[in-house]
Amino acid sequence: MIRFIFGGVITAAMIFSTVSMASAATAKRSTFGTLSDGTEIDAVTLTGANGVSATIISFGATLQAFRVPDRNGKLADIELGYDNLADYVAHPNYWGATVGRYANRIAGGKFTLDGKAYQLPLNDNGVNSLHGGPGGWDRLPWKVVSVTEGERGASVRMELVSAAGDQGYPGTVRATATYTLDDHGDLTIDYDAVTDAPTIINMTNHAIFNLAGEGDERNILQHRLTIPASRFTPVNANLIPTGELRDVAGSVFDFTKGRVIAEGIRDGQDQQIVYGRGYDHNFVLDAGTTAEPKLAARLEDPQSGRVLEVLTTEPGVQVYTGNFLDGTFLGKSKHVYRMGDGIALEPQRFPDTPNQPKFGSAELMPGKPYHHRMIFRVSTTD
């Protein structure tokens, strides 16, 4: 029995309270580098009691690193990215970045809102607008508004003001990205935005994962993926949805019961795989848009035992299997990232929604704030 020096007994409640205080998630702020105009870029590392940690940099409100244990407790960074600011600036690849104003593709970079036509930059092979344009939110410094820590989790909140006309979009938008890590393996990202004039919005995080560890010799082809979606949106040769909501049953797009990625990623018998050079498609989540986050995808690495679940309030999830990773750019620790070395699971509104009314609405109106909550939940299997 443990006693205080004054003769009192330490109760179970006291022990629990002490452990709880000691295990509260922490936040550490540092400098990640300086842009050419003198703007300093912050890095905030959130760490939970279970060893999970996430580093977020203010350039692009980017998830720069995500360290999680395997079934034996060995930590690895499962997020593809760069070690330094210079590479994020010189070689943008959206790795871990907050993308907006509109994530994914808009056909021809055109949309009409309230009877007025808008033209966006064509930064996707000269035919579409992609991820908000060449000067999208992934390429801008965000302002760190707050850094907090405590028993309910550690968090960092970043803010960006996008002026009317930015990348061709109407309306001035004030957006925030809030990352919160708890002691149980949940990294929650809250995306919020308001506007002073009608515009469109679609925010997500473009993290690319390898549960074996970024740069590991094993790619993601043997990962097992489950998606609760009975339909997906097929695309044309320019990767723009055709408007069809196609059943996944009987195809290589059926992940409803879980399947190993390698089983379909190179199946050229399906024209959709040919168009995407693998998987680069939006899945229509059976739950649709929800008030609270629901499961969008579950990724498992049998060898390490690491599991990643992605939850969202949005109606779709874009699955991208790193098909355009060609070894051109060196990632962390000079790792050469190649096709299939990572997978992005991006919860969002459907691609090209502004031009396809039956997909729903992507409009953001004054007085009606936008909110998207997504969660990266990590765990292990035996």
Side-chain angles (χ1 to χ4, degrees):
M1 183 176 293
I2 304 174
R3 295 182 181 275
F4 284 113
I5 190 170
F6 300 110
V9 177
I10 296 179
T11 66
M14 291 176 181
I15 294 174
F16 176 81
S17 177
T18 302
V19 172
S20 178
M21 291 178 64
S23 65
T26 62
K28 181 180 179 182
R29 186 171 178 174
S30 59
T31 299
F32 193 71
T34 304
L35 297 175
S36 59
D37 65 359
T39 301
E40 287 193 2
I41 298 301
D42 292 304
V44 178
T45 298
L46 312 176
T47 304
N50 57 356
V52 175
S53 69
T55 297
I56 301 95
I57 61 173
S58 56
F59 184 75
T62 297
L63 178 61
Q64 187 267 335
F66 196 25
R67 302 170 189 87
V68 304
D70 65 9
R71 64 166 60 92
N72 298 314
K74 181 180 179 182
L75 288 171
D77 184 357
I78 63 170
E79 158 68 12
L80 275 63
Y82 296 117
D83 289 320
N84 60 83
L85 178 61
D87 282 336
Y88 279 104
V89 173
H91 309 300
N93 281 287
Y94 308 109
W95 297 338
T98 293
V99 289
R101 287 186 196 189
Y102 199 91
N104 220 307
R105 293 175 172 85
I106 295 179
K110 299 178 181 179
F111 69 95
T112 301
L113 185 60
D114 289 346
K116 183 176 180 180
Y118 294 91
Q119 179 65 61
L120 310 174
L122 302 180
N123 62 316
D124 181 33
N125 297 316
V127 293
N128 304 313
S129 180
L130 176 65
H131 294 325
W137 293 356
D138 62 292
R139 303 276 292 143
L140 301 175
W142 291 56
K143 178 183 178 182
V144 175
V145 177
S146 64
V147 178
T148 62
E149 57 183 25
E151 293 180 26
R152 294 187 177 181
S155 70
V156 56
R157 182 170 178 260
M158 300 181 179
E159 181 182 76
L160 177 73
V161 177
S162 175
D166 181 17
Q167 301 298 292
Y169 290 91
T172 295
V173 170
R174 184 179 297 273
T176 59
T178 305
Y179 290 80
T180 304
L181 179 69
D182 66 17
D183 286 327
H184 307 291
D186 280 11
L187 177 62
T188 300
I189 308 175
D190 285 294
Y191 287 128
D192 295 274
V194 294
T195 183
D196 64 356
T199 188
I200 60 174
I201 192 81
N202 185 26
M203 297 176 66
T204 193
N205 186 282
H206 201 288
I208 299 186
F209 298 107
N210 182 343
L211 298 187
E214 67 79 28
D216 192 275
E217 62 182 12
R218 292 181 294 120
N219 57 30
I220 53 92
L221 297 189
Q222 296 306 314
H223 286 22
R224 184 175 181 83
L225 178 63
T226 304
I227 305 175
S230 55
R231 297 176 297 171
F232 79 107
T233 53
V235 296
N236 61 24
N238 291 324
L239 301 182
I240 293 294
T242 63
E244 178 188 1
L245 302 180
R246 183 180 298 176
D247 288 344
V248 301
S251 77
V252 295
F253 289 85
D254 189 352
F255 290 93
T256 56
K257 293 180 174 60
R259 69 186 302 151
V260 175
I261 294 172
E263 293 176 358
I265 192 173
R266 292 174 178 161
D267 188 353
Q269 297 180 81
D270 192 312
Q271 185 61 43
Q272 288 298 306
I273 294 294
V274 176
Y275 283 154
R277 298 172 63 174
Y279 293 106
D280 193 0
H281 297 78
N282 169 67
F283 287 75
V284 181
L285 297 171
D286 292 339
T289 303
T290 57
E292 297 297 327
K294 77 289 185 181
L295 184 68
R298 177 184 171 91
L299 188 66
E300 305 169 63
D301 174 29
Q303 186 163 329
S304 69
R306 293 188 182 95
V307 177
L308 171 69
E309 292 180 317
V310 181
L311 295 83
T312 183
T313 54
E314 293 293 81
V317 60
Q318 183 82 9
V319 176
Y320 168 61
T321 47
N323 313 325
F324 295 93
L325 298 177
D326 60 3
T328 302
F329 304 122
L330 300 180
K332 298 170 184 175
S333 300
K334 300 300 182 183
H335 290 150
V336 176
Y337 296 148
R338 304 154 302 171
M339 181 181 290
D341 277 352
I343 181 171
L345 302 167
E346 308 161 66
Q348 57 190 278
R349 294 173 178 177
F350 301 170
D352 202 37
T353 287
N355 295 311
Q356 306 204 33
K358 70 178 182 179
F359 283 178
S361 174
E363 295 180 358
L364 177 63
M365 295 295 176
K368 296 182 178 181
Y370 165 88
H371 177 68
H372 173 200
R373 172 169 285 185
M374 57 184 292
I375 301 173
F376 293 140
R377 175 172 292 164
V378 294
S379 60
T380 58
T381 59
D382 294 333

